[in-house]
Amino acid sequence: MNLLITSSVEKSIAEAAKTATELGTGLEISRFPHLEKIDDDFQSIIKEMKDGVADFDGILTLHALFSGLNPGVSDKGLKAVVDKRYQQSFEAALAVGAKHVNFHSGHKGMHHRLSIEKNCQNSIKFWKEYIKQFEDNGIIAVLENVLDFDYEHIKTIVDEVNSPFLKICLDTGHANLCSEISPQDWIKIYGNRLQHMHLHNNYKTNDDHNGIKYGTVNFLGIVDTLKTEKLDPFIVFEIFNKKELIESIEIFKNLCQ
C-alpha cells in the first residue's frame, strides 16, 4: 500500500519532502506556493515546486488548483479561468513527476436537480477533452468528493469519460461531513474506479482535517472494506497537525495488519 502525507503539514514543500522522507512515505503537493504570482510569474512557482522535491525519492502526487474552480460551469468567462488553472495544474504535474493529480469534482452540493445534471454533463464534456494529455503522458487524474452528498456525480463522470487515466479519490472527511452514506459504501460502489484516498477525520460539524482518532469516521471499517473489495488506492493522510499525522500513520498501519 502506498502511503503519502500532505505538504500542508509543513510551511514549505521542501520541509514537507524532508518529513515524508523521515516517515518513509510519499508526498502529495497540496498547495501551490505564492498564488498571488500565478499569472505574473508562473514559472517561478514551478521552479519552487521542483526545487522543493529535487532530492525526494518517494512517490509524488499533486493536488490541482481548486479555489472557486468548477469544470462543469456554463459561463464562458468562468470556463476560461478553469481551463487556464487546470492547464497550469497539468504543467506542474509534469514538472514535478506526479503520478496522480487530484481535482475537486465541481459538484454544487444542495442545488436544484436540473442544475446538478447540467453541471455533470458539462463536466463530462470537459473531461473527455482534457484527459487526453494525461493519457499521452501516463498520469492519472482523480476526482475528489467535496460537497458531494453521494457518489453518483463523480461515478457518472468517470464512467461516461471511460478512460483508464480518469479515476476517483474518496475524501473520508468530506464524505463524513457532507453525506449520510458511509465511506465503506462509497468504496463498495466505486470499486476499481477508486485510485486515491484522502484520510482525515471530523465530528460532522466542520472540515477539520483531524487525525484519524478525532472524529466519527470508522477507519477500521474502511480498512476492512478495502481488504474485502481487494482495492489498493494511494492513501494520503490529509492531516494538517504534524503530531496527529504521525500518530495516524501508526494507527492506520496497525489497522491494516
Side-chain angles (χ1 to χ4, degrees), residues 12-215:
S12 71
I13 293 169
E15 290 175 304
K18 182 180 178 182
T19 297
T21 298
E22 292 170 351
L23 295 174
T25 68
L27 177 67
E28 179 154 292
I29 300 175
S30 301
R31 297 287 188 274
F32 282 54
H34 309 301
L35 283 178
E36 70 278 2
K37 300 194 300 184
I38 195 165
D39 288 320
D40 299 325
D41 195 6
F42 181 60
Q43 290 309 310
S44 73
I45 293 175
I46 292 291
K47 183 179 186 304
E48 182 170 340
M49 295 171 79
K50 287 180 66 176
D51 289 348
V53 296
D55 298 321
F56 183 66
D57 295 328
I59 291 174
L60 278 168
T61 62
L62 176 75
H63 199 306
L65 292 161
F66 62 88
S67 183
L69 302 179
N70 177 5
V73 70
S74 296
D75 184 295
K76 290 183 179 180
L78 295 176
K79 184 179 183 302
V81 175
V82 174
D83 290 346
K84 181 176 182 178
R85 296 293 185 245
Y86 274 35
Q87 190 58 32
Q88 288 171 321
S89 298
F90 177 75
E91 291 175 20
L94 277 182
V96 301
K99 302 293 185 184
H100 296 174
V101 186
N102 187 74
F103 295 86
H104 287 179
S105 70
H107 193 284
K108 296 181 178 181
M110 299 299 290
H111 280 236
H112 190 277
R113 176 182 57 81
L114 294 178
S115 176
I116 293 172
E117 290 175 358
K118 179 64 173 176
N119 184 281
C120 186
Q121 291 305 310
N122 286 346
S123 293
I124 291 167
K125 182 178 179 181
F126 173 88
W127 278 105
K128 281 185 175 180
E129 184 61 33
Y130 183 54
I131 199 62
K132 292 176 183 177
Q133 57 192 329
F134 288 82
E135 295 170 340
D136 291 343
N137 288 277
I139 302 172
I140 294 176
V142 294
L143 301 186
E144 173 193 349
N145 59 297
V146 184
L147 299 175
D148 308 67
F149 47 81
D150 66 25
Y151 37 70
E152 290 296 341
H153 181 78
I154 293 174
K155 178 178 175 292
T156 298
I157 294 170
V158 170
D159 285 349
E160 289 295 320
V161 175
N162 192 28
S163 168
F165 292 90
L166 183 63
K167 297 292 186 178
I168 291 175
C169 168
L170 173 61
D171 186 295
T172 60
H174 295 164
N176 192 51
L177 184 62
C178 298
S179 176
E180 295 305 316
I181 303 169
S182 73
Q184 298 95 295
D185 286 337
W186 289 66
I187 291 168
K188 291 173 186 176
I189 292 295
Y190 281 160
N192 60 13
R193 304 173 187 86
L194 184 66
Q195 197 79 20
H196 202 90
M197 290 184 71
H198 284 168
L199 266 56
H200 56 99
N201 210 342
N202 60 64
Y203 293 97
K204 294 185 75 70
T205 54
N206 294 294
D207 186 19
D208 294 316
H209 288 260
N210 293 337
I212 64 178
K213 275 177 59 177
Y214 308 102

